[in-house]
Amino acid sequence: VNSAGGISAFNDGKGLRFNIEFIPLGSESDVSKQHKNAKPKSINKVVYIHEDYQLSDMLVKVLEVLKRRDLLEHSGLYSNGQVLDIDSLTITYSVPKTRTKDIALEGEDDFTEMVGQVQAKKNAEGTLVLIENKRTNVPDSDDNNTWQPNGRKKAKKECVNFLMQTREPNTEEEEQDGIIKDLQDRYRCEDKACPYNICWPAGTSVNDHVHLMFQHLRLWASAIVVDFIMSSHSY
């Protein structure tokens, strides 16, 4: 059962079915080391979404199932409904037994079209392919290189990319993720006139609603964790 608009009218109340294929960072480079016909390692899941979901709702649910909510932070689709120049994900969709195959999901209009086509199918089923993109905020310059004790120069950009791919989230980050989920649930806007999915109601009018993007929620959650740590160590 999905809570977006009550019980779904599709698939015995479970919602629209999407077969998810997620290709995490590093999978495609691993393929290059194998024979050319090998496919990237992927994670496959099945997710049901309510037909009344917005694009951001779907992204949250899919990434929760994949245990990759961290990708929301740099997702333009999640934060403002359109793909950024350097986005954390590339997403395409297909509808089985139709001509709709590998269509880029790049905004609200694409999402609405996808949902409409899946609803029109007897089994209300579609396919989503998510590819994690390599990204870094470290610019290319000589200043981003560090000298090692042996006199060799190692690019800081390479270090950042390596850490992004291999580092496990620490306890504080896991706590922040839990708080972010609670904040998203608490401030999910039910006003249909509001263009935002998650917002702060700064006034009585819908025009006073402030869009809470993932970056805002991350900062808020971080402050909550720090405040808790400080209060628990007060003397």
Side-chain angles (χ1 to χ4, degrees):
V1 177
N2 294 285
S3 59
I7 298 176
S8 173
F10 299 91
N11 290 314
D12 299 322
K14 291 186 290 186
L16 307 176
R17 174 185 169 120
F18 282 91
N19 301 305
I20 308 297
E21 180 181 3
F22 173 58
I23 302 175
L25 197 63
S27 297
E28 291 180 308
S29 62
D30 290 341
V31 171
S32 63
K33 301 175 184 178
Q34 304 170 10
H35 60 85
K36 62 180 181 180
N37 293 324
K39 291 184 177 181
K41 293 180 181 178
S42 61
I43 299 171
N44 298 288
K45 297 285 185 179
V46 172
V47 175
Y48 289 89
I49 70 166
H50 197 282
E51 57 270 22
D52 291 338
Y53 265 17
Q54 296 180 8
L55 173 57
S56 56
D57 294 321
M58 183 201 73
L59 289 171
V60 169
K61 183 160 188 179
V62 169
L63 292 176
E64 278 183 347
V65 170
L66 293 169
K67 295 181 172 56
R68 290 302 309 271
R69 287 176 62 92
D70 59 293
L71 294 175
L72 290 174
E73 185 168 4
H74 298 291
S75 169
L77 280 176
Y78 174 77
S79 61
N80 58 16
Q82 61 184 5
V83 174
L84 300 174
D85 291 337
I86 304 177
D87 212 297
S88 58
L89 288 169
T90 296
I91 305 178
T92 59
Y93 72 91
S94 301
V95 180
K97 299 181 180 180
T98 70
R99 295 182 179 179
T100 303
K101 296 185 185 299
D102 302 324
I103 305 298
L105 181 58
E106 297 181 331
E108 295 285 354
D109 291 342
D110 295 333
F111 176 73
T112 300
E113 175 67 22
M114 177 188 74
V115 170
Q117 290 202 33
V118 172
Q119 282 181 308
K121 297 293 294 181
K122 184 177 181 180
N123 58 358
E125 180 178 347
T127 298
L128 280 172
V129 177
L130 294 81
I131 301 175
E132 182 180 3
N133 296 325
K134 185 175 182 179
R135 69 179 312 281
T136 176
N137 291 326
V138 180
D140 287 314
S141 71
D142 291 339
D143 294 336
N144 289 322
N145 295 324
T146 55
W147 286 98
Q148 304 302 306
N150 59 8
R152 297 179 62 187
K153 192 184 269 190
K154 186 172 184 179
K156 188 180 294 184
K157 179 180 177 182
E158 293 178 1
C159 295
V160 171
N161 287 336
F162 176 76
L163 290 172
M164 288 175 66
Q165 294 181 47
T166 61
R167 185 177 65 82
E168 293 293 330
N170 57 38
T171 302
E172 182 177 328
E173 289 171 335
E174 290 178 347
E175 291 176 354
Q176 287 183 22
D177 286 342
I179 294 171
I180 288 172
K181 185 177 185 303
D182 291 339
L183 290 173
Q184 288 173 328
D185 292 339
R186 182 174 181 180
Y187 292 100
R188 189 176 302 279
C189 189
E190 302 295 337
D191 191 334
K192 294 188 179 298
C194 179
Y196 308 126
N197 181 41
I198 299 171
C199 66
W200 173 267
T204 56
S205 169
V206 70
N207 295 324
D208 298 323
H209 290 199
V210 178
H211 187 197
L212 291 177
M213 296 189 292
F214 192 84
Q215 294 91 327
H216 303 144
L217 299 175
R218 173 67 72 184
L219 289 172
W220 195 352
S222 178
I224 292 173
V225 171
V226 171
D227 183 66
F228 174 78
I229 293 174
M230 295 296 290
S231 62
S232 62
H233 289 79
S234 60
Y235 296 96

